[in-house]
């Protein structure tokens, strides 16, 4: 069951240009959350910005009751959130949405992270490590400065392969290009993807071609976060029929082959 | 002493005056983890059409100062699905369930009303002649008094359920439409639907909504809504459900003092899932503080 609560900020600091790490005391959410879920965050007590902001759960520490968020400042809401100080409180609703489906223990899996899309994948890789999976993370960014979470993935014993658009670190090019060169599809049981829409679409096409199951975490402008307002619509194909699903309540994670990208 | 909170909205007896705005509360289940729905006077559920509708292109929602613009486009699973999948749930609730209906033609409205007549758990109909986000029907009916009256008559003839007509603020004189639907037999009115608006992304130099224009709601629209309730209360003798930017009990009380017998909480649900119950508690508190024994004494009190 999802909760609404005021959570105390334990830490907040920048980790990359316009990108912040925030730690919150939220034991109920930390206990209930699974990778891929999100929290709906009130960024201001005023009437502007009015709506909450959906932020994926970056990491949890269940014993300590701590929830971590990693977010990029893109507008007023996230800018206000970044200004919070330790000791302030933040109103949270969560955990919300459907998370990733975990593979069988010991599976060999690929994880594709693009930009801020790396945020929820750290929590996923935490769980994959607990399942003793063999994980390769393909992590990409515009440049070296904007690369996120590569160190955390490595600490979780994942193999980390880096791509940057400008070649300032690792492979020069995109995550899909890197995966095409590097990945042995026949030995991959599952692939998880979160990043820009074009990247997710490209990786999904590769997965379909290789007949490897995958899951993508989608993003869409959201209102309520609980499935009532129908703002965050996405077209999903199931058994040849296309229907409109809600990213907040039916997702944000969907099977890669079901998403209608156009 | 506990004040009387019961109100009668055109034959729908509500144990208190707080309900939800259509399209902001799903079918009720979405908010049941956060709100004891049975404590509300009624819930008004998502706009329902004869056939399922996929809704409009995304983005469907944009934030604006103290408000939001939406262009959902009446996405819904259709009336037959609603009856098959939700009626039983509605019947089990200890609150009134009002179904909001929308059509492309007068006949659509009549058929919807006939289908919902006698469905267990459905206490009344809210006739949406004011949706700004669909091409056919919607606001076209709500901005023409003759068409508004025609839809009202057709719905009244097709059902024994109380009929609440939801009016659009996107008209020159809302009292003209209110009088037309009152004369056509409406049992109550909902005021107001969203205001037609739009927003443009200055970097992309494109409209922000997939559907270009959308309906503005939230605190930004409250003064317009209170004004509409005030004017309509002076014009017709029908009970009014007031809505538009209600976030707190004080907002709700403004509507009641302007002439609303009940109030609906809409956009505020998105920000504060328990807004409905907080509004209800605040109204009750106010009555106690002001030593008013019956909420109905307060309705339209600002006119006196």
């Amino acid at each position: 069951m999802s909760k609404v609560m005021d959570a105390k900020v334990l830490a907040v600091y920048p980790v990359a240009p316009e990108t912040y790490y925030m730690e919150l005391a939220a034991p109920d959410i930390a206990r209930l959350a699974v990778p891929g879920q999100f929290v709906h965050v009130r960024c201001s007590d005023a009437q502007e910005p009015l709506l909450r902001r959906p932020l994926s759960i970056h990491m949890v520490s269940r014993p300590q009751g701590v929830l971590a968020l990693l977010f990029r400042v893109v507008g007023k809401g996230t800018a206000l959130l970044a200004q919070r100080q330790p000791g302030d409180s933040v109103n949270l609703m969560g955990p919300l949405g459907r998370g990733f489906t975990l593979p069988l223990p010991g599976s060999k899996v690929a994880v594709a992270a693009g930009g801020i899309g790396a945020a929820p994948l750290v929590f996923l890789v935490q769980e994959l490590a607990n399942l003793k999976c063999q994980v390769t993370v393909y992590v990409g960014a515009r440049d070296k400065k904007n690369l996120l979470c590569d160190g955390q993935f490595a600490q979780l014993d994942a193999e980390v392969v880096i791509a940057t658009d400008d070649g300032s670190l690792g492979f020069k090019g995109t995550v899909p290009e890197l995966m095409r060169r590097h990945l042995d599809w026949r030995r991959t049981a599952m692939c998880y993807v979160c990043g820009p829409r074009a990247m997710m679409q490209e990786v999904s096409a590769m997965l379909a071609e290789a007949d490897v199951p995958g899951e993508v975490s989608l993003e869409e402008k959201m209102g309520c976060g609980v499935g009532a307002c129908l703002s965050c619509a996405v077209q999903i194909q199931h058994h040849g029929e296309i229907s409109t699903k809600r990213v907040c309540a039916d997702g944000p994670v969907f099977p890669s082959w079901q998403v209608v990208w156009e | 002493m506990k004040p009387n909170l019961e109100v009668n909205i055109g034959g729908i007896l509500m144990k208190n005056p707080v309900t939800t705005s259509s399209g902001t509360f799903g079918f009720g289940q979405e908010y049941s983890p956060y709100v004891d729905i049975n404590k509300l006077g009624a819930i008004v559920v998502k706009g329902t059409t004869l056939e399922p509708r996929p809704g409009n292109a995304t983005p469907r929602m944009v934030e604006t100062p103290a408000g939001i613009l939406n262009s959902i486009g009446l996405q819904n699973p259709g009336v037959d699905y609603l009856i098959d999948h939700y009626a039983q749930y509605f019947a089990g609730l200890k609150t009134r369930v009002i179904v909001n209906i929308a059509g492309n033609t007068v006949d659509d409205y009549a058929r919807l009303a006939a289908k919902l007549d006698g469905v267990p758990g459905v206490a009344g109909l809210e006739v949406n002649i004011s949706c700004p986000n669909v091409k056919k029907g919607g606001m076209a009916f709500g901005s023409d008094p003759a068409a508004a009256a025609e839809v009202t008559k057709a719905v009244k003839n097709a059902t024994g359920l109380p009929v609440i007509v939801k009016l659009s603020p996107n008209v020159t004189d809302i009292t003209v439409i209110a009088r037309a639907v009152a004369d056509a037999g409406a049992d109550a009115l909902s005021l107001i639907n969203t205001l037609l608006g739009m927003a443009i992304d200055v970097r992309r130099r494109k409209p922000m909504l997939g559907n270009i224009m959308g309906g503005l709601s939230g605190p930004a629209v409250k003064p317009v809504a209170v004004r509409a309730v005030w004017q309509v209360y002076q014009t017709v003798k029908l009970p009014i459900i007031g809505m538009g930017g209600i976030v707190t009990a004080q907002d709700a009380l403004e509507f009641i003092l302007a002439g609303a017998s009940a109030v609906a909480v809409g956009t505020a649900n998105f920000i504060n899932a328990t807004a409905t119950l907080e509004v209800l508690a605040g109204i009750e508190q106010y009555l106690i503080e002001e030593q008013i024994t019956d909420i109905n004494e307060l309705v339209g009190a600002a006119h006196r």
Side-chain angles (χ1 to χ4, degrees):
Chain A
M1 170 96 54
S2 171
K3 309 264 182 190
V4 184
M5 64 171 71
D6 283 321
K8 197 165 147 194
V9 177
L10 302 173
V12 54
Y13 49 84
V15 292
E18 297 300 305
T19 309
Y20 289 79
Y21 173 86
M22 180 181 272
E23 238 172 52
L24 296 148
D28 286 344
I29 296 177
R31 181 169 47 83
L32 294 167
V34 298
Q37 287 188 303
F38 67 96
V39 285
H40 217 22
V41 183
R42 200 120 191 241
C43 298
S44 161
D45 294 329
Q47 290 185 339
E48 195 189 359
L50 194 61
L51 294 174
R52 289 170 179 267
R53 295 290 183 271
L55 295 176
S56 63
I57 297 172
H58 173 49
M59 281 192 296
V60 301
S61 167
R62 294 191 180 105
Q64 282 150 353
V66 172
L67 176 78
L69 305 175
L70 183 71
F71 62 94
R72 189 153 273 175
V73 172
V74 289
K76 275 183 206 157
T78 40
L80 285 169
L81 195 64
Q83 287 166 16
R84 297 289 170 104
Q85 300 293 322
D88 289 352
S89 77
V90 174
N91 189 267
L92 299 178
M93 200 172 174
L96 295 170
R98 285 172 195 269
F100 293 106
T101 313
L102 295 175
L104 292 173
S107 303
K108 183 170 165 54
V109 301
V111 173
I116 193 69
L121 298 173
V122 174
F123 187 11
L124 174 71
V125 173
Q126 264 185 333
E127 293 291 343
L128 295 174
N130 291 339
L131 291 171
K132 310 270 182 249
C133 290
Q134 257 183 284
V135 183
T136 303
V137 186
Y138 299 87
V139 53
R142 278 201 302 274
D143 52 37
K144 190 166 75 172
K145 277 191 308 197
N146 282 288
L147 193 71
L148 296 171
C149 308
D150 50 316
Q152 288 161 296
F153 292 130
Q155 271 179 13
L156 291 163
D157 290 333
E159 179 192 8
V160 179
V161 195
I162 292 167
T164 51
D165 293 346
D166 69 350
S168 51
L169 196 67
F171 172 77
K172 184 178 184 210
T174 66
V175 166
E177 284 167 7
L178 175 62
M179 291 173 83
R180 198 168 279 129
R181 284 159 191 249
H182 185 275
L183 191 62
D184 182 357
W185 293 104
R186 285 164 305 175
R187 295 188 53 229
T188 302
M190 182 78 185
C191 180
Y192 301 93
V193 196
C194 187
R197 195 176 168 91
M199 169 205 152
M200 292 198 284
Q201 177 173 4
E202 204 176 331
V203 176
S204 294
M206 287 160 58
L207 290 169
E209 204 178 306
D211 203 20
V212 170
E215 286 186 337
V216 294
S217 177
L218 300 182
E219 193 177 40
E220 198 48 76
K221 288 260 194 255
M222 217 175 261
C224 66
V226 300
C229 76
L230 310 181
S231 293
C232 57
V234 61
Q235 300 297 105
I236 293 294
Q237 185 171 272
H238 193 52
H239 296 305
E241 264 186 42
I242 294 175
S243 60
T244 308
K245 299 281 184 196
R246 305 159 300 181
V247 170
C248 69
D250 302 312
V253 174
F254 290 96
S256 58
W257 65 92
Q258 287 185 2
V259 179
V260 181
W261 294 100
E262 300 311 322
Chain B
M1 205 179 79
K2 207 174 152 58
N4 174 51
L5 287 167
E6 197 177 89
V7 295
N8 182 341
I9 301 296
I12 304 168
L13 283 180
M14 289 166 48
K15 61 189 161 201
N16 65 61
V18 179
T19 181
T20 59
S21 306
S22 175
T24 66
F25 211 67
F27 292 102
Q29 286 166 328
E30 292 85 346
Y31 276 99
S32 55
Y34 311 99
V35 180
D36 181 354
I37 291 169
N38 293 324
K39 288 193 172 153
L40 300 176
I43 60 169
V44 181
V45 299
K46 176 70 189 160
T48 298
T49 53
L50 273 180
E51 306 294 337
R53 286 202 195 186
N56 290 334
T58 56
R60 291 174 168 189
M61 190 172 279
V62 174
E63 205 160 2
T64 67
I68 54 173
L69 280 168
N70 87 78
S71 65
I72 309 301
L74 286 177
Q75 181 190 328
N76 80 94
V79 68
D80 293 329
Y81 188 95
L82 176 133
I83 293 167
D84 292 346
H85 292 82
Y86 291 106
Q88 203 179 351
Y89 166 69
F90 295 159
L93 292 174
K94 293 185 185 70
T95 185
R96 304 296 186 185
V97 177
I98 297 165
V99 177
N100 179 292
I101 57 169
N104 294 332
T105 64
V106 172
D107 186 53
D108 282 357
Y109 284 96
R111 285 171 63 197
L112 280 159
K115 274 179 183 276
L116 288 161
D117 190 35
V119 171
V122 177
L125 302 179
E126 183 180 67
V127 185
N128 181 359
I129 56 166
S130 42
C131 179
N133 296 324
V134 290
K135 285 199 177 67
K136 282 197 278 183
M139 211 168 74
F141 290 112
S143 51
D144 172 13
E150 198 187 344
V151 171
T152 307
K153 262 187 208 139
V155 171
K156 277 297 287 180
N157 288 336
T159 181
L161 288 168
V163 173
I164 308 161
V165 182
K166 185 166 183 176
L167 302 189
S168 170
N170 303 310
V171 293
T172 311
D173 184 353
I174 196 166
T175 64
V176 173
I177 313 287
R179 194 175 289 128
V181 302
D183 291 346
D187 299 298
L189 300 172
S190 280
L191 306 172
I192 55 174
N193 207 317
T194 52
L195 283 107
L196 190 61
M198 73 179 285
I200 294 173
D201 184 329
V202 297
R203 294 278 170 212
R204 288 174 45 247
R205 303 181 191 178
K206 296 277 180 209
M208 302 255 272
L209 288 172
N211 201 43
I212 300 173
M213 284 177 264
L216 180 66
S217 64
V221 313
K222 195 187 77 181
V224 176
V226 172
R227 180 268 296 170
V229 171
W230 175 274
Q231 288 181 315
V232 170
Y233 180 78
Q234 289 176 324
T235 309
V236 299
K237 294 291 160 237
L238 290 181
I240 296 167
I241 306 177
M243 67 199 72
I246 296 175
V247 176
T248 64
Q250 188 160 329
D251 297 330
L253 286 161
E254 276 194 59
F255 280 85
I256 293 168
L257 293 168
S261 299
V263 289
V265 177
T267 302
N269 292 306
F270 302 162
I271 305 133
N272 174 11
T274 57
T276 44
L277 294 183
E278 288 169 26
V279 166
L280 174 58
I283 291 172
E284 191 168 355
Q285 182 65 28
Y286 176 86
L287 293 177
I288 293 166
E289 281 168 15
E290 299 286 319
Q291 299 184 325
I292 295 164
T293 53
D294 187 339
I295 181 97
N296 294 285
E297 287 172 32
L298 215 57
V299 176
H303 293 266
R304 297 194 277 272

